[in-house]
Amino acid sequence: MTKQIVLGAFEEFTPNFISNAWHHPKAHTKDFATLRYWQDLARELEAGGFDFLFLAEALGYPMSGDEVPEVVVREAVQVPAHDPMTLVSGLAATVDRLGFVVTASTTSQQPYLNARTYTSLDHLTEGRIAWNIVTSDNQVALTRLLGLNSVTPHDERYRRATEFVELNLELWEGAWEDDAVVYDKATRTYADPAKVHRIRHDGEYFRYDGFFPAIPSPQRTPLLLQAGTSSAGRAFAARFAECVFIQDRDPAVAARVVADLRARAVDNGRDADAIKVIDAVSVIVGDTEEEALALRADLDATPSMEAAAALYMGWSGVDLLQFPLDATLAEVKTEVGQSMLSLFQDGEKSPTIREILQRITTSIGGPRITGTPESVADQLQEFVERSDVDGFLIEYTYGGIATYRDIIDKVFPLLRERGMLPDTPRSGTMRERIVGGGPRLPRTHPGARYRRD
Ligand SMILES: Cc1cc2nc3c(=O)[nH]c(=O)nc-3n(C[C@H](O)[C@H](O)[C@H](O)COP(=O)(O)O)c2cc1C
């Protein structure tokens, strides 16, 4: 019996995303800036049985040195990209079961403001919020937009992120005791001052001294996700993440990442299954194998190579177009996205630039699954059985509901028949539906040590 999986929709507040196919006839993303566009999508995802909508964040855009490829603006490669946080409460008011994973960056944000935003959204969504913790891709442009002098080295970004998250955990778990809010009109006591604690933090990157002016929310700490499987990224994930997003096409490679993350969790005093792993996957369904392959080929023929290379440059920090097509990336280094680069580093067997450009068209690193509904369900099932991942992020292909329509109508029923999806879609807080257990952080998570009661 294949285990039950969780499913998320992989989106960004932009008219164009992973596939660079916004101009495909099936794509209708012109109204991406309207709430109505996202309300319609959220209703379809909720009715279809998705567990959550993931809203990625792009604070920067592809840039190398002082150059921004012209294709970035012309073909909308991460420009425009609006603020995903602004969408959540409107969508939470529109659908009452779907969960929301939203990216926020430890490079651009301030710990106090970040903690208050997620606590506010945890209340407004009744616990249906999760934080995808990133140090941010598109570092070159981001550094300029934030007025920073230079790109912070990769591993140092994770050290800074570690202190950032520790401070957030202390605010969420340690600032207010569970019964601090008394709301007693007779004694004009809103909260018991003895149970609301001043937090003092004086670290290498951040300082904090004061109360946390946000009352405890259903999960207190939003479900914590992370997306970055470099060595520093895995060490960070093993300490904090309850769920990790990966982009591995080969089930054997994914299986090694899953096993390594779980072993590292145990090294951090956590349970092996304390970390769920979700792989990003690009899915194309057709009524016949021929039709599906034709749809895939048609989609792959849609984006320009320049757009695909620009997106990859923003995510990895590597400009593929500056290399000869027969060269490889075997010896290349990056301070931006190391796991994005290592996708194409395999010593002597490393793919050439020409091969990489073919592979990243419409989907960067995750599995590309194409076929009839039956065959797609088979491929997803086999991938789970061989890799032990806990679920999938269905990647943006055509944009909007066009990405998900056939998957919801034709593949989900088969996954339910096979027991891979629950008959009744999951509800409750994000932690309960993705990790299981209660709404609060498990006692084995380092954040629990800040609790007073
Ligand atoms: C599925 C997935 C989603 C991601 N979402 C974001 C995002 O929303 N914003 C962002 O800046 N980076 C995002 N990233 C990139 C990661 O944050 C990170 O830069 C990248 O995985 C490289 O990390 P590493 O250098 O630790 O390997 C995502 C990566 C993956 C695999």
Side-chain angles (χ1 to χ4, degrees):
M1 177 74 162
T2 306
K3 66 178 171 182
Q4 287 209 334
I5 57 173
V6 296
L7 288 168
F10 193 172
E11 289 285 340
E12 190 170 278
F13 198 178
T14 179
N16 182 37
F17 194 30
I18 294 173
S19 64
N20 280 306
W22 63 274
H23 43 55
H24 187 280
K26 286 178 76 167
H28 305 292
T29 63
K30 193 161 189 307
D31 297 335
F32 88 97
T34 66
L35 182 56
R36 197 185 49 258
Y37 173 95
W38 293 94
Q39 287 178 306
D40 293 347
L41 177 61
R43 288 193 192 97
E44 298 268 4
L45 296 174
E46 168 144 302
F50 273 88
D51 291 292
F52 63 88
L53 167 62
F54 166 44
L55 292 167
E57 162 75 299
L59 287 164
Y61 41 76
M63 187 174 188
S64 177
D66 195 37
E67 295 308 313
V68 178
E70 199 223 42
V71 71
V72 165
V73 172
R74 191 183 62 244
E75 298 184 24
V77 183
Q78 308 265 267
V79 173
H82 292 185
D83 180 351
M85 271 321 159
T86 59
L87 271 177
V88 177
S89 43
L91 297 182
T94 304
V95 289
D96 50 24
R97 182 194 61 77
L98 191 70
F100 304 97
V101 177
V102 189
T103 293
S105 169
T106 59
T107 297
S108 65
Q109 277 284 9
Q110 267 299 322
Y112 163 47
L113 302 177
N114 186 71
R116 191 181 66 159
T117 296
Y118 277 98
T119 294
S120 306
L121 287 174
D122 197 37
H123 282 289
L124 294 171
T125 64
E126 295 165 329
R128 292 181 285 149
I129 193 75
W131 174 23
N132 178 37
I133 311 166
V134 302
T135 66
S136 279
D137 49 27
N138 294 296
Q139 280 283 329
V140 178
L142 176 62
T143 301
R144 307 252 180 135
L145 300 179
L146 293 177
L148 304 175
N149 299 328
S150 59
V151 170
T152 307
H154 180 271
D155 290 6
E156 182 176 351
R157 290 201 307 272
Y158 275 109
R159 279 198 300 280
R160 189 176 186 277
T162 299
E163 186 184 330
F164 187 116
V165 173
E166 282 290 356
L167 179 49
N168 271 232
L169 289 168
E170 186 167 10
L171 297 177
W172 286 321
E173 300 291 332
W176 295 69
E177 294 184 27
D178 284 347
D179 54 358
V181 176
V182 289
Y183 201 75
D184 182 355
K185 291 184 177 181
T187 62
R188 281 198 310 211
T189 305
Y190 177 85
D192 177 352
K195 296 185 175 180
V196 181
H197 304 283
R198 185 168 173 175
I199 303 294
R200 288 189 178 82
H201 174 91
D202 193 356
E204 181 182 356
Y205 300 101
F206 305 107
R207 291 178 46 217
Y208 188 96
D209 178 6
F211 296 113
F212 177 53
I215 61 172
S217 59
Q219 300 179 103
R220 277 192 181 243
T221 295
L223 179 72
L224 300 176
L225 289 92
Q226 184 267 2
T229 49
S230 61
S231 169
R234 292 181 196 204
F236 179 89
R239 182 168 173 167
F240 297 122
E242 297 172 275
C243 185
V244 172
F245 286 153
I246 65 172
Q247 264 182 332
D248 286 302
R249 194 161 291 179
D250 178 342
V253 174
R256 286 197 292 275
V257 174
V258 170
D260 180 55
L261 285 168
R262 297 203 168 128
R264 287 171 182 254
V266 172
D267 294 347
N268 278 268
R270 304 172 64 196
D271 300 338
D273 65 354
I275 298 185
K276 303 300 179 185
V277 180
I278 293 179
D279 202 350
V281 58
S282 170
V283 177
I284 296 289
V285 185
D287 291 333
T288 65
E289 211 56 36
E290 297 66 39
E291 185 197 324
L293 292 170
L295 287 169
R296 174 67 77 181
D298 166 59
L299 178 67
D300 282 351
T302 303
S304 68
M305 181 185 67
E306 290 75 17
L311 185 67
Y312 181 75
M313 177 167 80
W315 284 13
S316 65
V318 177
D319 181 2
L320 297 170
L321 302 184
Q322 67 164 321
F323 294 95
L325 289 176
D326 295 327
T328 75
L329 299 177
E331 307 306 322
V332 175
K333 299 247 180 301
T334 182
E335 286 300 328
V336 179
Q338 292 181 350
S339 49
M340 293 293 171
L341 172 57
S342 59
L343 285 172
F344 304 118
Q345 294 180 311
D346 191 7
E348 304 273 301
K349 289 186 278 148
S350 298
T352 63
I353 300 298
R354 182 182 289 106
E355 288 163 337
I356 296 172
L357 287 167
Q358 277 154 9
R359 281 164 61 167
I360 65 171
T361 308
T362 71
S363 172
I364 297 266
R368 291 154 55 89
I369 294 192
T370 307
T372 62
E374 206 60 50
S375 145
V376 167
D378 289 347
Q379 293 174 64
L380 291 172
Q381 183 168 7
E382 188 192 346
F383 197 95
V384 172
E385 287 166 358
R386 292 181 57 195
S387 67
D388 201 26
V389 295
D390 301 285
F392 296 104
L393 264 182
I394 309 290
E395 280 182 5
Y396 170 117
T397 50
Y398 302 110
I401 195 56
T403 295
Y404 310 101
R405 180 79 281 137
D406 291 342
I407 302 168
I408 290 173
D409 294 347
K410 300 174 181 173
V411 179
F412 282 15
L414 297 174
L415 296 177
R416 284 191 194 98
E417 269 170 35
R418 297 175 190 204
M420 290 179 66
L421 282 182
D423 293 334
T424 307
R426 299 178 185 89
S427 57
T429 66
M430 277 297 282
R431 183 164 287 113
E432 287 164 297
R433 70 179 75 187
I434 303 297
V435 177
R440 299 282 305 275
L441 271 179
R443 286 206 169 281
T444 51
H445 190 282
R449 76 186 191 286
Y450 292 113
R451 287 179 192 151
R452 314 230 172 205
D453 36 9

